[in-house]
C-alpha cells in the first residue's frame, strides 16, 4: 500500500524493514507490552472509524440503492465464498492466538473474550463492506485494490475537509503492525519451544531477517501478493494449520481427557 500510494520511489524493502524493526523491538519487550499497546490503539482506531463514518454520512456519499439486488444469485454463492475463503481469511488466522492462550493471566475469561472479539470483528467487516458498496457500488469495488481508501478519499465536507486518506493509511499501518507482531511473536515462542531455548527474545532479530527476505521473495508486487494469498496460501498453509492440525489436536485432547 505504501509503495503504491505514498512512496512509489522508495524501495519496498525499506518500508518493510522499517516496520519490521518496530515489530522486533516490541517482541523483544514481551507480549505484555504488545497487549498494553493494543489497548491504547484499540481506542484510537475506533475513534478514527467512528469519525470517518460520521464524515461519510455528512458528505452525503451513502446511497443504499447500490446495495440492490440483495442475494442476486441466491444464498449459495455467499455460503460458498464464506466456506472457501472467509473461513480461512480473516477468521481462520485467529488460530495463532492458541499459542498465546497459555500466557493469559485470567484463563477463565478466555471464552467470553474470544467470542466477543470474533463477533466484533464480524460486525466491523459487515459495516465497512456495506459502507463501501453503498458509496462505490459493487462493480467499482471489484476493480479497486483498496475500496475503503477510495471511500475515504471521496469525503468532502464544506469544501474544506477533504483528502483524509492519510488517516486511512495510518490506521492500516497500525493494524498491520499488530497483525504482524502477533504472528511474529507466535513464531518466536514456537521456535524457542521447539529448540528448548530459555530466552525466546534472542530469536527476534534472526527471524526478522528471514521474514524480511521472504516478504520480498514471495511477493514483490500487489498482483503477486493477491495471487499467492488467494491461490496458494489457502491450500498449503491455511488448510493444514487452521483446519487439519487443530482438528487432530482436538481429537487427541478429547481422548486424553477421557483416559484421565
Amino acid at each position: 500500500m505504501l509503495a503504491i500510494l505514498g512512496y512509489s520511489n522508495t524501495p519496498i524493502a525499506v518500508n518493510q524493514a522499517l516496520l519490521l524493526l518496530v515489530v522486533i523491538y516490541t517482541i523483544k519487550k514481551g507480549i505484555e507490552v504488545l497487549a498494553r499497546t493494543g489497548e491504547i490503539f484499540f481506542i484510537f482506531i475506533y475513534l478514527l472509524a467512528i469519525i470517518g463514518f460520521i464524515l461519510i454520512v455528512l458528505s452525503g456519499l451513502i446511497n443504499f440503492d447500490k446495495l440492490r439486488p440483495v442475494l442476486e444469485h441466491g444464498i449459495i454463492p455467499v455460503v460458498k465464498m464464506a466456506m472457501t475463503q472467509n473461513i480461512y481469511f480473516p477468521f481462520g488466522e485467529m488460530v495463532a492466538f492458541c499459542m498465546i492462550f497459555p500466557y493469559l493471566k485470567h484463563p477463565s475469561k478466555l471464552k467470553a473474550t474470544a467470542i466477543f472479539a470474533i463477533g466484533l470483528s464480524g460486525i466491523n467487516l459487515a459495516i465497512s463492506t456495506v459502507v463501501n458498496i453503498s458509496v462505490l457500488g459493487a462493480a467499482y469495488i471489484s476493480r479497486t485494490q483498496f475500496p475503503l481508501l477510495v471511500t475515504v478519499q471521496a469525503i468532502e465536507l464544506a469544501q474544506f475537509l477533504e483528502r483524509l486518506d492519510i488517516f486511512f493509511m495510518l490506521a492500516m499501518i497500525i493494524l498491520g503492525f499488530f497483525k504482524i507482531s502477533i504472528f511474529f511473536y507466535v513464531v518466536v515462542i514456537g521456535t524457542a519451544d521447539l529448540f528448548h531455548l530459555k530466552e525466546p527474545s534472542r530469536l527476534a532479530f534472526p527471524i526478522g531477517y528471514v521474514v524480511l527476505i521472504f516478504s520480498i521473495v514471495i511477493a514483490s508486487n500487489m498482483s503477486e501478493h493477491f495471487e499467492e494469498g488467494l491461490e496458494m496460501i489457502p491450500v498449503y498453509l491455511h488448510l493444514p494449520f487452521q483446519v487439519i492440525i487443530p482438528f487432530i489436536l482436538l481429537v487427541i485432547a478429547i481422548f486424553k481427557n477421557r483416559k484421565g
Side-chain angles (χ1 to χ4, degrees):
M1 182 191 68
L2 291 175
I4 294 173
L5 301 175
Y7 302 92
S8 56
N9 294 326
T10 303
I12 192 170
V14 175
N15 295 330
Q16 295 168 331
L18 290 174
L19 181 57
L20 269 175
L21 284 175
V22 181
V23 170
I24 291 170
Y25 174 79
T26 306
I27 298 307
K28 288 182 72 67
K29 291 297 181 180
I31 188 62
E32 186 174 355
V33 172
L34 178 62
R36 294 188 182 278
T37 307
E39 289 179 339
I40 297 172
F41 280 106
F42 179 86
I43 300 173
F44 176 73
I45 291 295
Y46 262 87
L47 283 176
L48 278 183
I50 292 171
I51 293 172
F53 179 75
I54 293 174
L55 292 176
I56 290 172
V57 173
L58 293 178
S59 298
L61 298 173
I62 294 181
N63 180 8
F64 289 112
D65 288 335
K66 293 182 179 180
L67 296 172
R68 300 176 182 175
V70 178
L71 297 177
E72 180 181 6
H73 302 289
I75 192 66
I76 299 301
V78 178
V79 174
K80 183 179 179 181
M81 179 64 70
M83 297 305 296
T84 57
Q85 289 192 19
N86 295 124
I87 195 173
Y88 297 134
F89 176 82
F91 294 103
E93 293 180 337
M94 67 183 181
V95 72
F97 284 95
C98 292
M99 292 287 292
I100 301 176
F101 291 159
Y103 300 95
L104 293 180
K105 189 176 182 180
H106 303 287
S108 59
K109 299 180 180 179
L110 169 60
K111 184 177 180 180
T113 304
I115 293 174
F116 174 78
I118 296 170
L120 187 61
S121 300
I123 292 172
N124 292 339
L125 290 172
I127 292 176
S128 63
T129 301
V130 169
V131 170
N132 286 335
I133 296 176
S134 60
V135 173
L136 305 175
Y140 187 88
I141 288 178
S142 64
R143 298 193 301 268
T144 182
Q145 295 175 332
F146 308 106
L148 187 57
L149 172 64
V150 180
T151 300
V152 173
Q153 287 177 332
I155 295 176
E156 184 176 346
L157 199 60
Q159 296 183 342
F160 168 72
L161 200 59
E162 55 184 12
R163 297 298 299 174
L164 301 178
D165 45 322
I166 183 63
F167 293 103
F168 168 83
M169 296 175 67
L170 180 62
M172 289 298 100
I173 292 171
I174 293 173
L175 294 173
F177 159 76
F178 282 106
K179 180 175 180 178
I180 296 170
S181 296
I182 291 171
F183 284 155
F184 198 103
Y185 180 76
V186 166
V187 171
V188 168
I189 61 175
T191 306
D193 184 59
L194 186 65
F195 293 100
H196 304 287
L197 300 177
K198 295 182 179 180
E199 297 183 23
S201 60
R202 290 188 175 183
L203 295 173
F205 273 106
I207 290 179
Y209 179 76
V210 173
V211 171
L212 178 62
I213 298 300
F214 275 134
S215 67
I216 299 171
V217 173
I218 292 175
S220 59
N221 54 58
M222 204 67 184
S223 299
E224 288 184 13
H225 176 71
F226 279 122
E227 182 180 357
E228 298 283 350
L230 295 176
E231 296 181 8
M232 299 188 67
I233 297 300
V235 177
Y236 295 103
L237 289 181
H238 288 171
L239 183 60
F241 284 102
Q242 296 178 12
V243 179
I244 297 176
I245 295 177
F247 178 76
I248 294 174
L249 293 176
L250 176 62
V251 172
I252 294 173
I254 292 173
F255 278 100
K256 286 184 67 176
N257 289 335
R258 283 183 177 181
K259 184 178 179 181

